[in-house]
Amino acid sequence: MLYNSTRNTNVRINASAAIKQGLSEEGGLFLPESIPAVSLEQIEALSKLSYPERAKYVLGLYLTDFTQEELDDVVSVYNKERFETDSVAPVYKLNQRTFFLELWHGPTCAFKDMALQVLPRLLTKSAKKNDDGKEIVILTATSGDTGKAALEGFKDVEGTKIAVFYPVSGVSNIQKLQMVTQQGDNVGVCAVEGNFDDAQTGVKKIFTDAEYKKELSDKGYVFSSANSINWGRLAPQIVYYFSAYCDMLAGGEIQLGEKINVVVPTGNFGNILAAYYAKNMGVPIGKLICASNQNNVLTDFISTGEYNRNRGFFTTASPSMDILISSNLERLLFELSGKSAEVTGEWMKQLTEAGKYTVPDEIKIKLNDLFWGGYCSDLDTALTIDDTYKKYGYVIDPHTAVGKNVYDQYLTETDDATKTIIASTASPYKFSKFVNESIGISIADKDEFQILEDLCVASGIKIPKSLAGLKNAEIRFNSVASKEALKEYVDSIL
Ligand SMILES: *Cc1c(COP(=O)(O)O)cnc(C)c1O
């Protein structure tokens, strides 16, 4: 299996080269030349296997230059110690037709663990295969979830170092505690004066500083990022849609070949794109339902065919979806345009220059055939959390609630009786303040840990050990830097 770039189809490289490089030179994203097909018989066979075995099969179809032993090592991260459950990504049945795919049992309690636990192994193996031998230095700016998930993924991984920068004002207390108490000998965490954009700008400046890159290269280091556009992050996300279908099949919820719908709370379009790949590989998936918060650029795109980022930016209760440029959409556009690098590149150019582009009718028809889009306000997010709790005793986080709300809108409009999986992307504990307020538990005068305890009583779900343990964890990092001085911080950890 070889990989093209969305902006240059003459690029044809191995999976490991695509993963190591991350982004193609001309700015395009890597994607497989063809989508491997999986038969229903194979899906039935997978339904009898464990999560790591399913992962090995699906990843093996894409990462064809990895050996069986390498794949075994890669999927071995999907274990009970890291994911607190044997099934890794369990399916929770809410009612006869609604199911939640719980993707948050990993070490940082959000779905990014599903990919960021395996990415370090993919990356170090890819670097070795491409005969580089340099130590990989990961730099990441984070608005909360990604940074911690990357730290947990890369901690003590041989041949790597990682520095994470978070905005002083901009992450929740729990998120900050998660990062500043990070364990591991190869990690660094530094606060940046300013907001997320300042942190991001500071990191980008290092990435584009040719002189600094050369200096570090001479010392045996090479920069890389754990960004969600890396194919090494997308491929592991395809696995859990197979796994969910297999679990429903094994549990007698569906017949082999029966279609299911999938709802995904969406930001950068990575998670829902993985569902699109699963569908195209042969998982019987009907509609892909794209759920947004108040930053509803994708909802508008699906309904009008115009992608327009020239609009106000909202800080919402589902912060990991506060995004106006959904980077992974570029891969879908490439596929829908009949793999035209020229057309895709032109739209991306318009997006950079004018902040918008419009796809022609024939593409919009394809888009609407595959996707249904909707969005949800913070108020409705809170009401949905409350309603789901009152009706079913099941507590969901704000991102997942956006998915549930948009699914309810879809049902109102279509009355589609197809069984449906909603991707549950974070543990309610990760956003416990908003969740508790939504279900009517007072948070006044309570510290973070009391709020977790209260939610435990209400939900009956165990507090994840990684969050409970924060209470007594040692603070290891207290550096604060201006966005101009991030280089000095990187130097200090190398
Ligand atoms: C990152 C994230 C999302 C959005 O996923 P994309 O792949 O960027 O669309 C949704 N929910 C949570 C909790 C996240 O951390």
Side-chain angles (χ1 to χ4, degrees), residues 290-411:
C290 177
S292 301
N293 63 25
Q294 196 80 43
N295 295 296
N296 56 358
V297 59
L298 286 165
T299 316
D300 288 347
F301 176 58
I302 292 168
S303 79
T304 67
E306 182 193 60
Y307 193 99
N308 190 341
R309 62 151 304 189
N310 304 310
R311 57 176 73 213
F313 175 82
F314 298 95
T315 303
T316 74
S318 43
S320 302
M321 293 154 63
D322 291 345
I323 284 175
L324 290 180
I325 297 188
S326 302
S327 316
N328 268 297
L329 186 62
E330 181 170 344
R331 287 191 168 108
L332 179 73
L333 294 171
F334 178 81
E335 296 285 356
L336 296 187
S337 68
K339 294 186 177 286
S340 170
E342 210 181 359
V343 171
T344 309
E346 175 57 30
W347 288 329
M348 292 303 110
K349 185 162 158 257
Q350 288 173 19
L351 183 62
T352 309
E353 287 169 4
K356 59 181 183 180
Y357 60 86
T358 304
V359 299
D361 281 347
E362 83 230 37
I363 304 268
K364 179 160 184 295
I365 290 166
K366 286 190 210 168
L367 187 68
N368 292 153
D369 191 40
L370 291 161
F371 295 90
W372 193 90
Y375 76 99
C376 166
S377 68
D378 278 1
L379 177 61
D380 285 333
T381 303
L383 292 173
T384 303
I385 294 172
D386 191 41
D387 180 61
T388 308
Y389 177 60
K390 296 256 155 70
K391 273 201 194 120
Y392 304 100
Y394 184 66
V395 183
I396 53 179
D397 101 290
H399 302 78
T400 309
V402 168
K404 172 74 166 64
N405 181 281
V406 169
Y407 175 54
D408 291 341
Q409 295 178 38
Y410 171 78
L411 286 183

Side-chain angles (χ1 to χ4, degrees), residues 18-23 116 119-120 123 136-141 146 150 154 161-163 200 203-204 207 222-233:
I19 290 169
K20 181 184 164 237
Q21 220 179 304
L23 195 68
L116 277 166
L119 182 70
L123 208 52
I136 297 169
V137 181
I138 301 283
L139 301 182
T140 301
T146 306
F154 281 94
K161 287 203 170 14
I162 174 166
Q200 175 111 309
V203 168
K204 273 199 186 141
F207 273 120
V222 59
F223 283 131
S224 188
S225 103
N227 202 296
S228 85
I229 48 162
N230 193 310
W231 181 256
R233 273 190 65 180

Side-chain angles (χ1 to χ4, degrees), residues 65-138:
D65 61 332
F66 283 62
T67 64
Q68 294 300 311
E69 291 70 33
E70 285 171 330
L71 289 173
D72 281 331
D73 180 59
V74 166
V75 303
S76 70
V77 300
Y78 293 121
N79 59 48
K80 193 165 179 179
E81 198 197 320
R82 291 175 190 239
F83 285 85
E84 287 198 50
T85 148
D86 280 322
S87 44
V88 179
V91 174
Y92 177 90
K93 182 175 182 176
L94 189 75
N95 60 32
Q96 274 317 103
R97 68 172 164 198
T98 315
F99 299 77
F100 285 105
L101 171 55
E102 296 181 348
L103 300 171
W104 40 259
H105 291 278
T108 75
C109 307
F111 94 95
K112 302 221 165 38
D113 289 328
M114 298 302 297
L116 277 166
Q117 283 290 305
V118 303
L119 182 70
R121 296 187 184 214
L122 293 176
L123 208 52
T124 47
K125 287 175 172 53
S126 297
K128 274 206 192 105
K129 282 176 187 303
N130 290 278
D131 194 31
D132 178 309
K134 289 206 166 76
E135 187 157 6
I136 297 169
V137 181
I138 301 283

Side-chain angles (χ1 to χ4, degrees), residues 1 34-43 46 57-58 61-62 242 277-283:
M1 172 77 72
S34 61
I35 298 180
V38 178
S39 68
L40 287 178
E41 290 67 39
Q42 272 166 321
I43 291 174
L46 288 178
Y57 178 80
V58 176
L61 297 173
Y62 286 103
F242 274 85
Y277 273 96
K279 174 179 162 82
N280 280 286
M281 290 171 76
V283 178

Side-chain angles (χ1 to χ4, degrees), residues 110-112 145 228 237 264-272 320-321 323 397 399 425-426 431:
F111 94 95
K112 302 221 165 38
D145 283 346
S228 85
Q237 299 187 342
V264 186
T266 304
N268 217 7
F269 210 76
N271 201 357
I272 195 166
S320 302
M321 293 154 63
I323 284 175
D397 101 290
H399 302 78
T425 53
F431 300 92

Side-chain angles (χ1 to χ4, degrees), residues 165 190 202 205-206 480-490:
F165 299 95
C190 179
K205 232 170 101 187
I206 301 183
V480 183
S482 77
K483 70 175 168 189
E484 285 78 30
L486 304 192
K487 233 172 17 185
E488 284 73 17
Y489 185 77
V490 175

